[in-house]
Short mmCIF file of all heavy atoms in Angstrom, two decimals:
data_model
loop_
_atom_site.label_atom_id
_atom_site.label_comp_id
_atom_site.label_asym_id
_atom_site.label_seq_id
_atom_site.Cartn_x
_atom_site.Cartn_y
_atom_site.Cartn_z
N ARG A 1 4.21 27.57 -24.00
CA ARG A 1 3.66 28.65 -23.18
C ARG A 1 2.88 28.12 -21.98
O ARG A 1 2.62 28.84 -21.06
CB ARG A 1 2.79 29.56 -24.03
CG ARG A 1 3.57 30.19 -25.15
CD ARG A 1 2.76 31.25 -25.84
NE ARG A 1 3.47 31.73 -27.01
CZ ARG A 1 4.27 32.77 -26.98
NH1 ARG A 1 4.47 33.44 -25.88
NH2 ARG A 1 4.88 33.16 -28.08
N MET A 2 2.50 26.87 -22.01
CA MET A 2 1.72 26.29 -20.92
C MET A 2 2.60 25.56 -19.90
O MET A 2 2.10 24.94 -18.99
CB MET A 2 0.68 25.31 -21.48
CG MET A 2 -0.35 25.97 -22.36
SD MET A 2 -1.25 27.27 -21.51
CE MET A 2 -2.19 26.33 -20.37
N MET A 3 3.90 25.59 -20.05
CA MET A 3 4.81 24.89 -19.16
C MET A 3 5.08 25.74 -17.93
O MET A 3 5.71 26.79 -18.02
CB MET A 3 6.12 24.57 -19.88
CG MET A 3 7.07 23.72 -19.09
SD MET A 3 6.52 22.05 -18.80
CE MET A 3 6.51 21.41 -20.44
N LEU A 4 4.60 25.31 -16.79
CA LEU A 4 4.84 26.00 -15.53
C LEU A 4 6.14 25.50 -14.92
O LEU A 4 6.59 24.39 -15.21
CB LEU A 4 3.69 25.74 -14.56
CG LEU A 4 2.32 26.27 -14.98
CD1 LEU A 4 1.26 25.81 -14.00
CD2 LEU A 4 2.34 27.79 -15.07
N PRO A 5 6.76 26.30 -14.06
CA PRO A 5 7.99 25.84 -13.41
C PRO A 5 7.79 24.53 -12.63
O PRO A 5 8.68 23.69 -12.59
CB PRO A 5 8.36 26.98 -12.46
CG PRO A 5 7.69 28.18 -13.03
CD PRO A 5 6.45 27.68 -13.72
N GLN A 6 6.59 24.36 -12.06
CA GLN A 6 6.30 23.12 -11.34
C GLN A 6 6.29 21.93 -12.28
O GLN A 6 6.71 20.83 -11.92
CB GLN A 6 4.95 23.21 -10.61
CG GLN A 6 4.92 24.19 -9.48
CD GLN A 6 4.59 25.61 -9.95
OE1 GLN A 6 4.50 25.89 -11.15
NE2 GLN A 6 4.43 26.52 -9.00
N HIS A 7 5.79 22.14 -13.50
CA HIS A 7 5.79 21.06 -14.49
C HIS A 7 7.23 20.66 -14.84
O HIS A 7 7.56 19.47 -14.92
CB HIS A 7 5.07 21.48 -15.77
CG HIS A 7 3.61 21.70 -15.58
ND1 HIS A 7 2.89 22.56 -16.36
CD2 HIS A 7 2.73 21.18 -14.69
CE1 HIS A 7 1.62 22.56 -15.98
NE2 HIS A 7 1.51 21.73 -14.95
N LYS A 8 8.05 21.66 -15.05
CA LYS A 8 9.45 21.41 -15.41
C LYS A 8 10.16 20.66 -14.27
O LYS A 8 10.87 19.69 -14.51
CB LYS A 8 10.17 22.73 -15.70
CG LYS A 8 11.59 22.56 -16.15
CD LYS A 8 12.21 23.91 -16.49
CE LYS A 8 13.65 23.76 -16.87
NZ LYS A 8 14.28 25.05 -17.19
N GLU A 9 9.94 21.08 -13.02
CA GLU A 9 10.55 20.40 -11.86
C GLU A 9 10.09 18.96 -11.76
O GLU A 9 10.88 18.06 -11.49
CB GLU A 9 10.19 21.15 -10.57
CG GLU A 9 10.88 22.47 -10.42
CD GLU A 9 10.41 23.22 -9.19
OE1 GLU A 9 9.81 22.59 -8.29
OE2 GLU A 9 10.63 24.44 -9.14
N ARG A 10 8.79 18.73 -12.01
CA ARG A 10 8.25 17.37 -11.91
C ARG A 10 8.81 16.47 -13.00
O ARG A 10 9.10 15.30 -12.76
CB ARG A 10 6.72 17.41 -12.01
CG ARG A 10 6.07 16.07 -11.92
CD ARG A 10 6.29 15.46 -10.53
NE ARG A 10 5.70 14.15 -10.50
CZ ARG A 10 6.34 13.03 -10.23
NH1 ARG A 10 7.62 13.06 -9.93
NH2 ARG A 10 5.72 11.88 -10.22
N ILE A 11 9.00 16.99 -14.20
CA ILE A 11 9.59 16.20 -15.29
C ILE A 11 11.03 15.83 -14.95
O ILE A 11 11.45 14.69 -15.13
CB ILE A 11 9.50 16.98 -16.62
CG1 ILE A 11 8.04 17.04 -17.08
CG2 ILE A 11 10.36 16.32 -17.69
CD1 ILE A 11 7.80 17.96 -18.25
N ILE A 12 11.79 16.78 -14.45
CA ILE A 12 13.18 16.51 -14.08
C ILE A 12 13.24 15.50 -12.93
O ILE A 12 14.05 14.58 -12.95
CB ILE A 12 13.90 17.83 -13.71
CG1 ILE A 12 14.04 18.70 -14.96
CG2 ILE A 12 15.26 17.54 -13.08
CD1 ILE A 12 14.52 20.11 -14.68
N GLN A 13 12.35 15.66 -11.95
CA GLN A 13 12.30 14.72 -10.83
C GLN A 13 11.94 13.32 -11.31
O GLN A 13 12.53 12.33 -10.87
CB GLN A 13 11.27 15.20 -9.81
CG GLN A 13 11.17 14.32 -8.58
CD GLN A 13 10.06 14.80 -7.64
OE1 GLN A 13 9.17 15.54 -8.04
NE2 GLN A 13 10.13 14.35 -6.41
N HIS A 14 11.02 13.21 -12.24
CA HIS A 14 10.62 11.91 -12.77
C HIS A 14 11.79 11.24 -13.50
O HIS A 14 11.99 10.03 -13.39
CB HIS A 14 9.44 12.07 -13.72
CG HIS A 14 9.01 10.80 -14.36
ND1 HIS A 14 8.42 9.77 -13.66
CD2 HIS A 14 9.10 10.36 -15.64
CE1 HIS A 14 8.16 8.77 -14.48
NE2 HIS A 14 8.57 9.11 -15.69
N ARG A 15 12.56 12.00 -14.24
CA ARG A 15 13.70 11.44 -14.97
C ARG A 15 14.76 10.89 -14.02
O ARG A 15 15.40 9.90 -14.31
CB ARG A 15 14.32 12.50 -15.88
CG ARG A 15 13.49 12.78 -17.10
CD ARG A 15 14.17 13.74 -18.02
NE ARG A 15 13.32 14.05 -19.15
CZ ARG A 15 13.50 15.09 -19.94
NH1 ARG A 15 14.49 15.92 -19.72
NH2 ARG A 15 12.68 15.30 -20.95
N THR A 16 14.96 11.55 -12.88
CA THR A 16 15.96 11.05 -11.93
C THR A 16 15.46 9.83 -11.17
O THR A 16 16.25 8.99 -10.76
CB THR A 16 16.36 12.15 -10.92
OG1 THR A 16 15.20 12.59 -10.24
CG2 THR A 16 17.04 13.30 -11.61
N GLN A 17 14.15 9.69 -10.98
CA GLN A 17 13.60 8.55 -10.26
C GLN A 17 13.51 7.30 -11.10
O GLN A 17 13.31 6.21 -10.57
CB GLN A 17 12.22 8.89 -9.70
CG GLN A 17 12.25 9.85 -8.55
CD GLN A 17 10.86 10.18 -8.05
OE1 GLN A 17 9.87 9.84 -8.68
NE2 GLN A 17 10.79 10.84 -6.91
N ILE A 18 13.65 7.41 -12.39
CA ILE A 18 13.57 6.25 -13.27
C ILE A 18 14.68 5.25 -12.93
O ILE A 18 14.48 4.04 -12.96
CB ILE A 18 13.66 6.68 -14.74
CG1 ILE A 18 12.37 7.40 -15.14
CG2 ILE A 18 13.89 5.48 -15.66
CD1 ILE A 18 12.40 8.00 -16.52
N HIS A 19 15.84 5.73 -12.56
CA HIS A 19 17.00 4.88 -12.32
C HIS A 19 17.06 4.29 -10.92
O HIS A 19 17.94 3.52 -10.61
CB HIS A 19 18.28 5.65 -12.62
CG HIS A 19 18.33 6.16 -14.03
ND1 HIS A 19 18.42 5.32 -15.11
CD2 HIS A 19 18.26 7.40 -14.53
CE1 HIS A 19 18.41 6.04 -16.22
NE2 HIS A 19 18.32 7.31 -15.89
N VAL A 20 16.12 4.66 -10.05
CA VAL A 20 16.10 4.13 -8.69
C VAL A 20 15.42 2.77 -8.70
O VAL A 20 14.35 2.60 -9.27
CB VAL A 20 15.34 5.10 -7.74
CG1 VAL A 20 15.22 4.52 -6.36
CG2 VAL A 20 16.05 6.44 -7.69
N GLN A 21 16.08 1.78 -8.08
CA GLN A 21 15.50 0.45 -8.05
C GLN A 21 15.17 0.05 -6.62
O GLN A 21 15.77 0.52 -5.68
CB GLN A 21 16.44 -0.56 -8.68
CG GLN A 21 17.82 -0.63 -8.05
CD GLN A 21 18.70 -1.65 -8.72
OE1 GLN A 21 18.21 -2.65 -9.19
NE2 GLN A 21 19.99 -1.38 -8.79
N ALA A 22 14.20 -0.82 -6.49
CA ALA A 22 13.77 -1.30 -5.18
C ALA A 22 14.61 -2.50 -4.76
O ALA A 22 15.10 -3.25 -5.60
CB ALA A 22 12.29 -1.68 -5.23
N LYS A 23 14.75 -2.67 -3.45
CA LYS A 23 15.51 -3.81 -2.93
C LYS A 23 14.74 -5.09 -3.21
O LYS A 23 13.56 -5.18 -2.93
CB LYS A 23 15.72 -3.66 -1.43
CG LYS A 23 16.62 -4.73 -0.85
CD LYS A 23 16.89 -4.46 0.61
CE LYS A 23 17.88 -5.43 1.19
NZ LYS A 23 17.51 -6.81 1.09
N PRO A 24 15.41 -6.10 -3.77
CA PRO A 24 14.71 -7.35 -4.07
C PRO A 24 14.37 -8.13 -2.80
O PRO A 24 15.08 -8.06 -1.80
CB PRO A 24 15.73 -8.13 -4.92
CG PRO A 24 17.05 -7.57 -4.53
CD PRO A 24 16.81 -6.13 -4.18
N LEU A 25 13.27 -8.84 -2.86
CA LEU A 25 12.88 -9.71 -1.75
C LEU A 25 13.68 -11.00 -1.85
O LEU A 25 13.72 -11.63 -2.90
CB LEU A 25 11.38 -10.02 -1.81
CG LEU A 25 10.45 -8.84 -1.58
CD1 LEU A 25 9.01 -9.26 -1.80
CD2 LEU A 25 10.63 -8.30 -0.18
N ILE A 26 14.28 -11.38 -0.74
CA ILE A 26 15.12 -12.57 -0.73
C ILE A 26 14.44 -13.65 0.09
O ILE A 26 14.01 -13.40 1.22
CB ILE A 26 16.52 -12.24 -0.18
CG1 ILE A 26 17.17 -11.19 -1.08
CG2 ILE A 26 17.38 -13.48 -0.09
CD1 ILE A 26 18.50 -10.70 -0.61
N HIS A 27 14.35 -14.83 -0.48
CA HIS A 27 13.67 -15.96 0.15
C HIS A 27 14.49 -16.46 1.34
O HIS A 27 15.71 -16.26 1.41
CB HIS A 27 13.50 -17.08 -0.88
CG HIS A 27 12.55 -18.14 -0.46
ND1 HIS A 27 12.96 -19.26 0.21
CD2 HIS A 27 11.21 -18.24 -0.60
CE1 HIS A 27 11.91 -20.01 0.47
NE2 HIS A 27 10.83 -19.42 -0.03
N GLU A 28 13.82 -17.11 2.29
CA GLU A 28 14.48 -17.64 3.49
C GLU A 28 15.63 -18.58 3.14
O GLU A 28 16.67 -18.58 3.79
CB GLU A 28 13.48 -18.40 4.35
CG GLU A 28 12.57 -17.53 5.16
CD GLU A 28 11.65 -18.36 6.04
OE1 GLU A 28 12.10 -19.40 6.57
OE2 GLU A 28 10.49 -17.97 6.19
N ASP A 29 15.43 -19.42 2.11
CA ASP A 29 16.49 -20.35 1.71
C ASP A 29 17.73 -19.60 1.24
O ASP A 29 18.86 -20.01 1.52
CB ASP A 29 16.00 -21.28 0.60
CG ASP A 29 14.88 -22.20 1.07
OD1 ASP A 29 14.78 -22.41 2.30
OD2 ASP A 29 14.11 -22.68 0.22
N GLU A 30 17.53 -18.52 0.52
CA GLU A 30 18.66 -17.73 0.04
C GLU A 30 19.37 -17.06 1.21
O GLU A 30 20.60 -16.97 1.23
CB GLU A 30 18.18 -16.69 -0.97
CG GLU A 30 19.31 -15.91 -1.62
CD GLU A 30 20.23 -16.75 -2.49
OE1 GLU A 30 19.77 -17.77 -3.04
OE2 GLU A 30 21.42 -16.38 -2.60
N TRP A 31 18.61 -16.58 2.22
CA TRP A 31 19.24 -16.00 3.42
C TRP A 31 20.09 -17.05 4.14
O TRP A 31 21.16 -16.74 4.66
CB TRP A 31 18.19 -15.45 4.38
CG TRP A 31 17.68 -14.09 4.00
CD1 TRP A 31 16.41 -13.75 3.68
CD2 TRP A 31 18.45 -12.87 3.89
NE1 TRP A 31 16.33 -12.41 3.38
CE2 TRP A 31 17.57 -11.85 3.50
CE3 TRP A 31 19.79 -12.56 4.08
CZ2 TRP A 31 17.98 -10.53 3.30
CZ3 TRP A 31 20.21 -11.26 3.88
CH2 TRP A 31 19.31 -10.26 3.50
#
């Protein structure tokens, strides 16, 4: 009963962002 639509949207948004990864930093030698 305490679940607001904004809460539900935020939970769904959080689940989709879990799979997003950041670009790795590549050292000058590797470049």
